[in-house]
Amino acid sequence: LAKTTQPISMDSYEGQEVNITCSHNNIATNDYITWYQQFPSQGPRFIIQGYKTKVTNEVASLFIPADRKSSTLSLPRVSLSDTAVYYCLVATQYNFNKFYFGSGTKLNVKP
Amino acid sequence: NAGVTQTPKFQVLKTGQSMTLQCAQDMNHEYMSWYRQDPGMGLRLIHYSVGAGITDQGEVPNGYNVSRSTTEDFPLRLLSAAPSQTSVYFCASSHTLHGGALGAGELFFGEGSRLTVL
């Protein structure tokens, strides 16, 4: 089971780039790395998913090194509205019972 | 644009009472699941289903029952509520793999149901 380890919390200021790293040493060949964002009193929301190298969409980038034992979510120029909990999830649809979320990283963006 | 709908949003029970949390999705997703979220614990998988008539246990299934008679609905039943089941419950759904499609699927979550057991 590919468990993940993330920092419990991070602080940043508006306009800065934020990088959140997730460790997943036991990642399997078929596993994908997915990040979710959760605001208070809401369900998590999908941000980005990748398998290797770099993936970029309109809100974030995901960097995955060649050994895939870690990944980094990069949020460019954060704003106060990016204050949320960010979850790293390693899973594959071959094993639906493996959709486990860890405790996540609480990002606090300050003005 | 309903997505995943959970009812009720809030519920207070007494120990030993039973109740059902409802979850419905209108995206024709095969996969549906229930999570509970406790402070500092993140989300923990309770039960999941990969299609009508198919269910399986997740990480913390004890005290909960599920069934999947239709693609759209996935109710979670508490047969005899206990204070340890006080939590926020989230239902999620996603498409499953088709013909070798890649990825782990994007989970769509409901807004949650806050349950308090006294």
Side-chain angles (χ1 to χ4, degrees):
Chain A
L1 180 60
K3 293 290 189 182
T4 60
T5 303
Q6 305 174 230
I8 294 174
S9 64
M10 295 180 67
D11 290 331
S12 182
Y13 290 93
E14 282 192 291
Q16 289 186 333
E17 178 185 73
V18 171
N19 295 310
I20 306 174
T21 298
C22 178
S23 173
H24 28 79
N25 292 320
N26 296 324
I27 189 169
T29 302
N30 293 325
D31 284 342
Y32 281 72
I33 300 155
T34 313
W35 286 79
Y36 286 82
Q37 175 191 56
Q38 185 180 28
F39 297 114
S41 302
Q42 294 185 23
R45 184 181 67 172
F46 175 93
I47 301 176
I48 196 166
Q49 182 177 101
Y51 185 80
K52 60 181 179 181
T53 62
K54 176 183 175 182
V55 179
T56 298
N57 62 21
E58 63 276 9
V59 298
S61 294
L62 178 59
F63 298 92
I64 305 168
D67 66 5
R68 304 200 327 124
K69 293 183 182 299
S70 66
S71 59
T72 299
L73 175 71
S74 181
L75 303 172
R77 297 180 298 280
V78 295
S79 64
L80 295 177
S81 63
D82 292 315
T83 293
V85 178
Y86 293 83
Y87 294 96
C88 168
L89 178 65
V90 174
T92 170
Q93 287 201 6
Y94 293 112
N95 292 292
F96 291 100
N97 61 334
K98 301 292 177 62
F99 278 17
Y100 292 123
F101 289 73
S103 298
T105 298
K106 175 70 168 65
L107 174 64
N108 184 30
V109 180
K110 303 175 183 178
Chain B
N1 295 330
V4 179
T5 303
Q6 292 183 232
T7 56
K9 287 185 170 49
F10 301 93
Q11 183 71 49
V12 178
L13 291 177
K14 294 180 179 179
T15 298
Q17 286 185 319
S18 63
M19 77 155 299
T20 300
L21 298 177
Q22 301 291 345
C23 176
Q25 53 91 9
D26 61 359
M27 297 172 282
N28 201 30
H29 286 167
E30 301 87 353
Y31 176 84
M32 297 186 73
S33 55
W34 278 101
Y35 289 85
R36 60 176 289 173
Q37 184 170 36
D38 304 306
M41 298 289 289
L43 289 92
R44 291 184 292 171
L45 181 65
I46 305 172
H47 285 285
Y48 67 95
S49 167
V50 299
I54 306 170
T55 64
D56 207 344
Q57 297 179 351
E59 186 183 9
V60 288
N62 293 339
Y64 307 95
N65 280 351
V66 292
S67 60
R68 184 92 179 272
S69 57
T70 67
T71 299
E72 294 78 19
D73 301 299
F74 191 45
L76 179 71
R77 298 184 185 85
L78 286 72
L79 298 179
S80 179
S84 61
Q85 293 178 305
T86 293
S87 188
V88 179
Y89 292 84
F90 289 100
C91 179
S93 73
S94 128
H95 280 301
T96 57
L97 284 172
H98 292 286
L102 299 177
E106 175 182 346
L107 288 172
F108 293 83
F109 284 83
E111 294 186 353
S113 297
R114 185 176 295 275
L115 174 66
T116 301
V117 182
L118 303 176

